[in-house]
Amino acid sequence: MSNSSCHTDQSNHDTLKSKKKKSDQLPSWDLTDLYPSPDCQELKNDLQKAQTLITQFSEKWKGNLSQASSQELNQALKSYEIINEILGRIGSYAQLIFATDSTNLQNTKFYQDIHEKITGLSTQFLFFTLELNQLSEENVKNKMQDNELLQWKPFLDKIRILRPYQLSNEIEKLFHEKAVTGANAWSRLYDETLATLEIPLKDKTVPLGDALNKLSSSQAKERKDAAQGLSSVFSKNLRLFSIITNTLAKDKQISDQWRGFPRPDSQRNCDNQIEDSVVDALVTAVTNNYQNLSHRYYLLKAKWLDVDKLHHWDRNAPLPEDHDQLIPWRDAKTIVYQAYHEFDPRLGKMIDQFLHSPWIDATLRTGKSSGAFAHPTVPSVHPYILLNYHGRSRDVMTLAHELGHGIHQILAAKQGYILSDTPLTLAETASVFGEMLTFQSLLKNQTDPRHRHILLSRKVEDMLNTVVRQIAFYQFERKVHEARHENELLPEQIGQFWLETQQKSLGPAFEFTSDYNTYWTYIPHFIHTPFYVYAYAFGDCLVNALYNVYQEGFPDFQDLYIEMLKAGGTKSHKELLAPFGLDASDPAFWQKGLNVINDFIDELEQI
């Protein structure tokens, strides 16, 4: 009896130990909700189905939209959405397979093959949006009298923003088809090169993501070694990265000139449904606050680290008293879940579903994408989240950030494939708000002044990275693209633009070594989505202003917030912020957001 009891106790102990160990294991996603495998019959059937639907769609609607009734146009838009969702599902699967391990030749071949097939298929019904833009304003206005068609107005408004810049159908078709061997091919070369980089550290080499993570080490020598290893590898690949950057900038210039965009970021601003003047107001506000924000903070940090000058590898260094103990995955999940749940149990329930479903890939492995993202896939499935979890506090915030995206994408999915897509400027709202919820949840439970100081400093650095650093990135891009209009840029010229914008944004606390001029090479947004970066600053300032409204006890804030996320791409930033009494076109709006960072730095000075 006693032996049996002892055996049972040991068995229970082993079971608990096994469960605990399992809860610490980093998750990998299961993509079978999209397709069972790259060569499965379901995927082949969907490709065939898409081809059949596209052929029928083209035969029915090509050249006939101007005569279509409101009811007929409504039906055409529904068919258009169905086709796009099928292609979106296939494309999402290929992209996620590629992100899992881009060093696997089968993965890269599959991704490229699918990309080419989707481009070929989408070219066949490219006429639809082009012909929609050729409709007169009077024709569209008359059609919009139909209440059923009115649901598509946000989509029609979005594509008709680009109406003044649209070219002939034949040229648009050429641009679309040539992208496979043009910009997309260069982007693929960049991704595959970046994924294969091995960074020397002491007596071994590590993947790029691991080396970048070392820049947050508490050991100055470890940070310096990682920085020097990164610099050496970036330098060896500098010529290739410079060619890619020059080619893509020239490619964009040619397209912009043909279309008549007034400046390099105008197309991105149109896609974001935001005026150039609003972007300029944001950039001006952040630049004017460099001295009071980043310059002031990093001078404090130099004092805390007891150095005369900071090096670039000290930017994300933890403070001396911040040991940044590794946070197990199970604890990270608990921290983020509780933060969302305390704000609103409805969001907490959604977070719990993500954390207990195979929708997240946080495992560290060679060949995996080094960044983090939440891919919305299609409304009929669910988002997938990728991050590289090293166990640091910043990784916990990244988890909170990407889960915010995931929540946003699920709530907006009810709008359907076309209308759920959110402009980049608003796409960061839920993610940054989730970070703020997580931070505030940790802060309110912290009574020790030293620990409060650590939490505040981490948050300020994250906010500076999101606001100041991203605006500096934007200004770097402007310099590169504007200079490329004149001639090809030498690697040294691109590096000089990088140093100038970094020095201006980070301030006098830093002494930059010459090897830092290669660090622009690993920022993928410059390659994939030019001028994306200001959306982070937009989102952070917007969330700061929004969180202030929440803290002030705005009536029914949680309900209004959830409704804002549900809207997806159906409303502009003006319409979404109006219920909260906010207006992004007001210059004071940006200062309100920046004042939140300023107040945190004020508190740090007093601690």
Side-chain angles (χ1 to χ4, degrees), residues 193-208:
T193 303
L194 213 62
T196 58
L197 294 183
E198 291 288 327
I199 313 301
L201 283 182
K202 295 183 180 178
D203 55 349
K204 62 179 181 178
T205 60
V206 300
L208 175 62

Side-chain angles (χ1 to χ4, degrees), residues 479-498:
K479 285 177 178 287
V480 168
H481 283 267
E482 288 168 0
R484 184 64 182 91
H485 286 188
E486 303 301 322
N487 47 52
E488 170 131 335
L489 303 176
L490 294 170
E492 293 77 13
Q493 289 176 278
I494 303 174
Q496 188 56 40
F497 291 148
W498 175 258

Side-chain angles (χ1 to χ4, degrees), residues 420-533:
S420 62
D421 189 29
T422 309
L424 293 179
T425 44
L426 298 169
E428 296 299 329
T429 304
S431 54
V432 179
F433 196 86
E435 283 191 71
M436 181 63 85
L437 289 174
T438 304
F439 165 71
Q440 294 287 358
S441 176
L442 292 171
L443 191 66
K444 76 176 183 180
N445 294 320
Q446 190 51 255
T447 56
D448 187 324
R450 291 174 302 169
H451 289 156
R452 186 177 178 87
H453 181 266
I454 291 168
L455 281 174
L456 279 170
S457 67
R458 288 179 190 166
K459 182 59 178 172
V460 167
E461 290 193 19
D462 286 341
M463 296 172 91
L464 293 178
N465 285 337
T466 305
V467 178
V468 170
R469 185 165 166 80
Q470 301 303 324
I471 291 302
F473 284 178
Y474 168 85
Q475 292 170 323
F476 164 75
E477 283 190 276
R478 285 289 298 263
K479 285 177 178 287
V480 168
H481 283 267
E482 288 168 0
R484 184 64 182 91
H485 286 188
E486 303 301 322
N487 47 52
E488 170 131 335
L489 303 176
L490 294 170
E492 293 77 13
Q493 289 176 278
I494 303 174
Q496 188 56 40
F497 291 148
W498 175 258
L499 280 176
E500 287 172 4
T501 52
Q502 292 299 299
Q503 287 172 333
K504 185 177 180 182
S505 64
L506 296 175
F510 282 87
E511 181 176 28
F512 292 99
T513 52
S514 59
D515 60 341
Y516 188 56
N517 62 6
T518 63
Y519 272 66
W520 56 272
T521 56
Y522 81 92
I523 311 296
H525 291 322
F526 298 158
I527 303 300
H528 297 298
T529 44
F531 302 104
Y532 179 113
V533 289

Side-chain angles (χ1 to χ4, degrees), residues 93-255:
Y93 182 64
Q95 186 176 344
L96 294 173
I97 287 281
F98 181 73
T100 303
D101 182 1
S102 59
T103 61
N104 183 307
L105 291 180
Q106 290 299 319
N107 289 354
T108 58
K109 182 184 184 306
F110 174 66
Y111 173 71
Q112 183 64 17
D113 287 347
I114 290 296
H115 189 68
E116 289 181 9
K117 287 175 183 176
I118 289 176
T119 300
L121 289 168
S122 59
T123 300
Q124 296 174 40
F125 67 110
L126 181 66
F127 74 88
F128 185 64
T129 52
L130 300 179
E131 289 188 20
L132 282 176
N133 268 354
Q134 289 164 2
L135 298 177
S136 68
E137 291 295 339
E138 184 180 1
N139 191 332
V140 173
K141 185 177 180 181
N142 289 336
K143 285 180 168 57
M144 281 298 145
Q145 300 301 315
D146 187 293
N147 287 334
E148 197 171 359
L149 187 61
L150 202 59
Q151 66 175 309
W152 299 103
K153 186 177 184 301
F155 171 68
L156 294 173
D157 288 346
K158 181 180 179 179
I159 64 171
R160 286 175 73 82
I161 288 174
L162 296 170
R163 191 179 180 216
Y165 312 109
Q166 184 171 297
L167 304 171
S168 71
N169 289 11
E170 286 303 308
I171 295 177
E172 291 288 356
K173 184 179 177 182
L174 176 65
F175 274 23
H176 188 71
E177 290 183 345
K178 286 285 286 180
V180 173
T181 54
N184 293 340
W186 288 102
S187 294
R188 177 189 170 190
L189 174 61
Y190 174 83
D191 285 344
E192 292 190 22
T193 303
L194 213 62
T196 58
L197 294 183
E198 291 288 327
I199 313 301
L201 283 182
K202 295 183 180 178
D203 55 349
K204 62 179 181 178
T205 60
V206 300
L208 175 62
D210 288 357
L212 291 171
N213 183 56
K214 294 292 184 183
L215 296 179
S216 299
S217 168
S218 60
Q219 302 299 316
K221 187 177 187 312
E222 199 169 62
R223 296 194 303 270
K224 183 178 180 179
D225 288 345
Q228 289 177 339
L230 287 162
S231 299
S232 67
V233 173
F234 292 158
S235 296
K236 288 175 185 175
N237 291 273
L238 189 58
R239 184 176 181 184
L240 174 60
F241 288 137
S242 297
I243 291 171
I244 293 171
T245 299
N246 269 288
T247 303
L248 288 173
K250 187 64 178 179
D251 182 79
K252 187 179 188 308
Q253 181 200 356
I254 292 169
S255 297

Side-chain angles (χ1 to χ4, degrees), residues 295-310:
H295 294 194
R296 183 161 66 113
Y297 175 78
Y298 288 118
L299 285 170
L300 285 172
K301 184 166 187 175
K303 184 173 70 174
W304 295 331
L305 293 178
D306 194 25
V307 295
D308 294 328
K309 291 282 186 178
L310 297 172

